[in-house]
Amino acid sequence: MTEKFKPFTTTLLGSMPRSEELVEARSRQFDSPEAHDEYQKILRDETEEVVRFQEKLDLDVIVSGELDRDNYMSYVAQHVPGIKLLTMEELVEITSTKDSFEASLAEGDADGTDIKNPIVVEKIDAQAELDADQIANVQEMTDRRLKATLPSPYLLTRSCWLDEITADVYEDKQALGDDIIDLLINEIHRLADLGVDIIQLDDPILSEVVFTAASEDTSFY
């Protein structure tokens, strides 16, 4: 039987900052096999630094620091065939609500070229792995309990749907949501098999849905 968590168990919420060296190496990783190997080495070294930092703070449950992710959601496009990253600038050109979208970007002080969003452009591969490889690496670095983080099925479905593109692939959001749920369930089984102690499902913008439910305005969130 798994040992119970003690009261006030501690862990890191959110991601850790990435160094300029890591960011630059990441942008070059597909230029050549050597560039990819260089990026993987820097990623592993900095992930280990994050693990040691958490151990130094005596945190009970260790995370990878999510250094391989642009953000909590867009990274799925790296791993899942059928999902493509589009900049907000590209989305503005495609969407039928261009004016309100541009206003929302300006209101949120968001740069349309820097922010990228995963959009489903083909049927997704629900067998794709999301986090298991990084967790396996972290397991080699520490003997403490581990936590993995995944985007929630609602967040992914809502964010990956764009009427002008995704509606040509899936009948509706429910159909896409069913495949995304399968994707996450498969990954959760992998993580559980690896011995992950906590699996965190992130939905940081759910409050916007709850408190602006009556509004039909388009938001870059």
Side-chain angles (χ1 to χ4, degrees), residues 21 28 32 39 43 47-48 92 103 130 134 144 152 168 182:
E21 182 184 17
R28 299 190 305 265
S32 67
Y39 171 66
L43 174 63
T47 298
E48 187 156 11
V92 165
L130 295 174
Q134 285 299 305
R144 298 201 181 194
S152 80
D168 292 335
D182 286 342

Side-chain angles (χ1 to χ4, degrees), residues 37-208:
D37 291 344
E38 178 192 19
Y39 171 66
Q40 290 300 320
K41 182 182 184 306
I42 296 172
L43 174 63
R44 184 177 179 84
D45 290 347
E46 294 199 9
T47 298
E48 187 156 11
E49 289 179 15
V50 169
V51 170
R52 298 290 165 255
F53 178 66
Q54 292 172 84
E55 290 179 334
K56 183 179 179 181
L57 295 176
D58 201 24
L59 297 183
D60 300 305
V61 184
I62 302 297
V63 299
S64 69
E66 302 177 2
L67 301 182
D68 191 37
R69 304 182 183 185
D70 280 334
N71 63 46
Y72 62 92
M73 181 179 59
S74 67
Y75 82 101
V76 298
Q78 295 173 234
H79 299 277
V80 183
I83 301 179
K84 182 180 179 181
L85 277 182
L86 297 178
T87 66
M88 289 296 168
E89 196 172 55
E90 291 171 318
L91 293 180
V92 165
E93 291 303 316
I94 295 170
T95 182
S96 59
T97 54
K98 183 176 179 178
D99 291 343
S100 61
F101 209 107
E102 287 180 329
S104 176
L105 283 171
E107 205 173 277
D109 194 24
D111 188 325
T113 58
D114 288 343
I115 299 175
K116 294 183 179 181
N117 199 74
I119 298 296
V120 168
V121 297
E122 298 174 1
K123 287 279 188 179
I124 68 169
D125 179 3
Q127 298 298 323
E129 295 188 9
L130 295 174
D131 207 27
D133 57 342
Q134 285 299 305
I135 289 295
N137 284 336
V138 175
Q139 281 184 313
E140 298 176 3
M141 302 173 185
T142 185
D143 58 2
R144 298 201 181 194
R145 289 182 162 189
L146 298 180
K147 179 180 74 171
T149 57
L150 299 170
S152 80
Y154 173 77
L155 176 66
L156 264 186
T157 302
R158 181 180 185 224
S159 301
C160 288
W161 181 275
L162 187 65
D163 279 339
E164 290 82 355
I165 296 177
T166 317
D168 292 335
V169 181
Y170 283 94
E171 180 181 355
D172 53 28
K173 289 181 183 178
Q174 181 64 56
L176 171 60
D178 290 342
D179 276 1
I180 284 178
I181 287 171
D182 286 342
L183 169 72
L184 293 173
I185 287 175
N186 291 334
E187 183 70 358
I188 287 168
H189 281 302
R190 286 189 202 99
L191 295 170
D193 288 344
L194 283 171
V196 171
D197 298 280
I198 297 175
I199 298 172
Q200 173 182 306
L201 295 175
D202 290 325
D203 206 328
I205 61 172
L206 188 58
S207 61
E208 182 198 358

